[in-house]
Amino acid sequence: MDEDARRLGRGRGGEPAARQASLRAHNLSLLLRHVPAGAPGISRAELANRTGLTRATVSTLVEALLAARVLAWLPFASTGSAGRPPTPVALARGTVAGLGLEVTPEHVAACAVDLAGEVLALELRPLPAGGAADVLAATAALGADVARRTSDGGARLVGTTLAVPGIVRDGVVVDAPNLGWTDVDADGALRSAPEFAPLAALPLDVGNEASLGALAQADALRSDVRTFLYVSGDVGVGGCVVLDGVALGGQHGWAGEVGHVVVDPSGPLCRCGSQGCLEQYAGAAALRRWPTSRVGSALGIALASTINVVDVSTVLLGGTLAPLVPELRPALEAELARRVLAYPWSPVAVLAAPVREHAALLGAALAQTSAVLADPSGRLLTS
Amino acid sequence: MDEDARRLGRGRGGEPAARQASLRAHNLSLLLRHVPAGAPGISRAELANRTGLTRATVSTLVEALLAARVLAWLPFASTGSAGRPPTPVALARGTVAGLGLEVTPEHVAACAVDLAGEVLALELRPLPAGGAADVLAATAALGADVARRTSDGGARLVGTTLAVPGIVRDGVVVDAPNLGWTDVDADGALRSAPEFAPLAALPLDVGNEASLGALAQADALRSDVRTFLYVSGDVGVGGCVVLDGVALGGQHGWAGEVGHVVVDPSGPLCRCGSQGCLEQYAGAAALRRWPTSRVGSALGIALASTINVVDVSTVLLGGTLAPLVPELRPALEAELARRVLAYPWSPVAVLAAPVREHAALLGAALAQTSAVLADPSGRLLTS
């Protein structure tokens, strides 16, 4: 904002430059919220209608966004009526990208996603032998590879997010039981990898895999479902509560750990140190061990507790759990119906999450593109 | 706001009256957030310092608030230095009050609380025989009695909130298992009681007892603890998650039902229809049945699940559970330490709630006074 303000100088009417810049930033963000990712796009006239901005303001902003390759013209839409139809714009493809990285108990991964949500590159490699330092060095190297290919393809990277299956604070993986990591400075490890140097100059975040996966799910759902509980099945079970489009963070950003909600207090020992956690009934190993109806009822018990606490009426099962939804549903819904206090007034829908593969990885990249679309003036329009 | 705008007419500089009125409303609310409830009060100079408003604006607003009996002068503070010390103001006592009503499985209750949080009147009567209609008629009559005494004492009532142990939507008690109520139109029942007519002309809300109790706890804690889980013990067990001063509502406002988090999926049948709910280990009947260590460990299991989902590090036990905290703590904390994923990085403090008696009832009254202090221009300054 400060840079923008300096660049713009003092605006009309003697208003301080900072206010003008802030108004422009607000208008850009407002406008971008109404631009679709693809066909049929939206005309400038319609953008003016939907945003309440003047047509002149819309034209000026669209020019700037076209020049910065944030927007692109679409081919003329055929309206069927006489005369030249209005030329629509959409989010540009292949021009600006976020980089997502992921560490799971089985692999490291990287992907680049553009402003329109298209995957420009995606690569997985098996988890390397060794400790957290080795894993993060391999992640940095893979990320740098994918970033280089993305840049060579003509897209400008705007930042990186690393997804990990654990709780994170200020770039440090505080605890990731299924990786065996505690207090691992992932931010520091990535930054110190030589290949990662160009990326280290851009924004870099580390986040929980289920929270980032929930972002990918929310993006796929658009505005159809704004409040849901996302349950992410992998070696462990993660989760994220999304209320009216906002992930519930809690006091430290560690909310949503449904994998450690208690199903049976004297159940199997969990890697977290507790007993009878949902993860012991619905994690990857448990899916091989228990009959599906047992997994379904365990999910129902743990999610009923969760829903009584957070009050949502949509559950999205993702990752390894997504393809099992038809088999899990009967026992799961029976437990929810019996145990959710408000069920008779608000039944809970249990659905397969719309993004089945690599949700956390894609969400990590989306976190970066979403951030620049929400505040484009600082990071997209300074060139 | 509209009334205010009409009253003020067009402001200086040709700005529309609505904007002027909105600015004044904002300034009043800002100013009131900095006025303490009692001694030593705050001077106008200090108010200007803390709010960033000019001294002239502060003086004008303070005059209006003194005239409306929202603020009162305090006696001169002795500063120990020479010269006349600044005259402090504080929230007025006994001039403006909220009315709280409550229905529990054992009694109906009413109280009036003034802007400074002082209880002006409080009365409990045994739950009358009969159904919801009889109970609500008795509540309306008691509320009208307490309101009349409050008015006779010189305080102006600004609105009423009814607290019930259940889930509520738009004035309707959707489900209150321990009252045996489902789909009871409490708002309608109060409004139709003849004695209640003067109160029905003012704002009237119906809310969950634990959410209102949490408001009373948050008020008592001031800004010391802004994020906590409140657990309210009575015949049933209610709860409310408060994150940075805001109660977690969820999709329908039904969040926080920790009483129905599952402790043991094959445990005792609960009145809600489920089995092994926390309420069956920590409700009033359970406190008589189980040894304290069993109650403590059941609380620990259910609250660990809750904390893994919402991430808070302070638990306040209220109502019947508050005096038991010293005995409950060892088993409760042992379960939390074992089962809360983030416990090693953020231990959970288990404390007796600061407001021990009638928290929901007081919170119900506070909900009304808080609302007028947050937006005083419409309801306090129109006379």
Side-chain angles (χ1 to χ4, degrees):
Chain A
M1 199 72 78
D2 283 348
E3 264 194 43
D4 226 28
R6 272 198 299 279
R7 199 156 47 78
L8 285 168
R10 290 183 71 85
R12 283 169 302 177
E15 282 193 303
R19 189 186 289 187
Q20 281 287 92
S22 147
L23 183 63
R24 182 165 182 268
H26 171 268
N27 290 344
L28 279 166
S29 168
L30 174 66
L31 186 141
L32 283 172
R33 280 204 297 278
H34 291 84
V35 177
I42 188 166
S43 69
R44 283 165 293 180
E46 186 58 26
L47 275 172
N49 267 348
R50 298 213 190 153
T51 59
L53 300 172
T54 65
R55 292 181 70 148
T57 300
V58 167
S59 286
T60 306
L61 297 177
V62 164
E63 286 301 326
L65 290 165
L66 287 163
R69 301 199 304 154
V70 173
L71 297 186
W73 297 117
L74 284 187
F76 287 156
S78 168
T79 60
S81 64
R84 180 180 149 169
T87 317
V89 292
L91 294 173
R93 306 213 155 185
T95 58
V96 173
L99 183 69
L101 304 177
E102 188 181 21
V103 176
T104 80
E106 287 162 349
H107 61 247
V108 297
C111 76
V113 173
D114 71 12
L115 295 174
E118 290 288 301
V119 178
L120 304 180
L122 189 152
E123 188 176 340
L124 274 70
R125 294 179 188 166
L127 195 75
D134 305 288
V135 171
L136 288 165
T139 309
L142 174 57
D145 274 7
V146 167
R148 194 176 318 110
R149 268 184 281 152
T150 304
S151 301
D152 290 351
R156 178 160 59 101
L157 283 162
V158 290
T160 305
T161 303
L162 169 66
V164 292
I167 59 178
V168 177
R169 178 161 57 186
D170 298 334
V172 174
V173 182
V174 170
D175 189 27
N178 291 307
L179 297 177
W181 292 8
T182 54
D183 294 316
V184 170
D185 180 5
D187 177 274
L190 291 177
R191 286 183 192 281
S192 68
E195 317 91 300
F196 202 77
L199 292 166
L202 300 170
L204 171 61
D205 286 322
V206 183
N208 172 270
E209 66 86 17
S211 302
L212 293 164
L215 180 62
Q217 306 299 352
D219 187 72
L221 293 162
R222 299 274 157 188
S223 53
D224 297 338
V225 180
R226 306 252 314 152
T227 294
F228 59 86
L229 167 62
Y230 173 58
V231 181
S232 160
D234 190 22
V235 169
V237 174
C240 182
V241 177
V242 177
L243 298 170
D244 200 19
V246 179
L248 177 69
Q251 190 164 347
H252 313 86
W254 300 340
E257 290 291 348
V258 295
H260 302 281
V261 168
V262 179
V263 172
D264 177 350
S266 50
L269 277 173
C270 184
R271 294 185 74 162
C272 75
S274 179
Q275 262 183 285
C277 293
L278 174 60
E279 193 160 298
Q280 296 308 311
Y281 301 87
L287 293 184
R288 292 188 292 269
R289 188 189 316 138
W290 302 102
T292 309
S293 65
R294 181 74 188 98
V295 176
S297 69
L299 274 163
I301 291 163
L303 300 187
S305 289
T306 303
I307 290 167
N308 281 326
V309 169
V310 297
D311 178 25
V312 300
S313 50
T314 302
V315 172
L316 302 178
L317 298 183
T320 52
L321 298 171
L324 302 176
V325 167
E327 298 143 69
L328 293 170
R329 193 182 271 129
L332 202 174
E333 287 191 345
E335 293 290 351
L336 292 177
R338 203 158 77 95
R339 299 184 186 274
V340 172
L341 188 61
Y343 198 93
W345 297 272
S346 174
V348 179
V350 179
L351 307 168
V355 180
R356 297 289 185 97
E357 301 283 327
H358 313 305
L361 179 64
L362 297 171
L366 277 171
Q368 294 294 331
T369 54
S370 303
V372 293
L373 287 173
D375 183 13
S377 57
R379 289 159 71 186
L380 288 179
L381 296 184
T382 49
S383 62
Chain B
M1 199 74 75
D2 283 348
E3 264 194 42
D4 226 27
R6 273 199 299 280
R7 197 157 48 80
L8 284 168
R10 290 183 72 86
R12 282 169 301 176
E15 283 193 303
R19 187 186 290 187
Q20 282 286 95
S22 147
L23 183 63
R24 181 166 182 267
H26 171 266
N27 289 344
L28 279 166
S29 168
L30 175 66
L31 186 141
L32 282 172
R33 281 204 297 279
H34 291 84
V35 177
I42 188 167
S43 69
R44 284 165 293 179
E46 186 58 24
L47 275 172
N49 267 348
R50 297 212 191 155
T51 58
L53 300 172
T54 65
R55 292 181 70 147
T57 300
V58 168
S59 287
T60 305
L61 296 176
V62 164
E63 286 302 325
L65 291 165
L66 287 163
R69 300 199 306 154
V70 174
L71 298 185
W73 297 118
L74 285 185
F76 288 155
S78 168
T79 60
S81 65
R84 182 180 148 169
T87 317
V89 292
L91 294 173
R93 305 213 156 184
T95 58
V96 173
L99 182 69
L101 305 177
E102 189 182 19
V103 177
T104 80
E106 286 162 348
H107 62 247
V108 298
C111 76
V113 173
D114 71 12
L115 295 174
E118 290 289 301
V119 177
L120 304 180
L122 189 153
E123 188 175 340
L124 274 69
R125 293 179 188 166
L127 196 76
D134 305 288
V135 171
L136 287 165
T139 309
L142 174 56
D145 274 6
V146 166
R148 194 176 318 110
R149 270 183 281 152
T150 304
S151 301
D152 289 351
R156 177 159 61 101
L157 283 162
V158 289
T160 305
T161 303
L162 168 67
V164 293
I167 59 179
V168 178
R169 178 161 55 187
D170 298 334
V172 174
V173 182
V174 170
D175 188 27
N178 290 307
L179 297 176
W181 292 8
T182 54
D183 294 316
V184 169
D185 180 4
D187 176 274
L190 291 177
R191 286 183 191 282
S192 68
E195 318 90 302
F196 202 77
L199 291 166
L202 300 171
L204 170 61
D205 287 321
V206 184
N208 172 270
E209 67 85 17
S211 301
L212 293 165
L215 180 63
Q217 307 299 350
D219 186 74
L221 292 162
R222 298 274 157 189
S223 54
D224 296 339
V225 180
R226 306 251 314 152
T227 294
F228 59 86
L229 167 62
Y230 173 57
V231 181
S232 160
D234 189 23
V235 170
V237 174
C240 183
V241 177
V242 177
L243 298 170
D244 201 18
V246 179
L248 177 69
Q251 190 164 346
H252 313 86
W254 300 340
E257 289 290 348
V258 295
H260 302 281
V261 168
V262 179
V263 172
D264 177 351
S266 50
L269 279 173
C270 183
R271 294 185 74 162
C272 76
S274 179
Q275 262 184 284
C277 294
L278 175 61
E279 193 159 299
Q280 296 307 313
Y281 302 85
L287 293 184
R288 292 187 292 269
R289 189 188 317 137
W290 303 100
T292 309
S293 65
R294 180 76 187 97
V295 176
S297 69
L299 274 164
I301 292 163
L303 300 187
S305 289
T306 303
I307 290 166
N308 280 326
V309 170
V310 297
D311 178 24
V312 300
S313 50
T314 302
V315 172
L316 302 178
L317 298 183
T320 51
L321 298 171
L324 302 177
V325 167
E327 298 143 69
L328 293 170
R329 193 182 272 132
L332 202 174
E333 287 190 346
E335 293 290 351
L336 292 178
R338 204 158 75 96
R339 297 184 187 273
V340 172
L341 188 63
Y343 197 93
W345 297 271
S346 174
V348 179
V350 178
L351 307 167
V355 179
R356 298 288 187 97
E357 301 282 327
H358 313 305
L361 180 63
L362 298 172
L366 277 171
Q368 293 294 333
T369 54
S370 303
V372 293
L373 286 173
D375 183 12
S377 57
R379 288 160 71 187
L380 288 179
L381 295 184
T382 51
S383 61

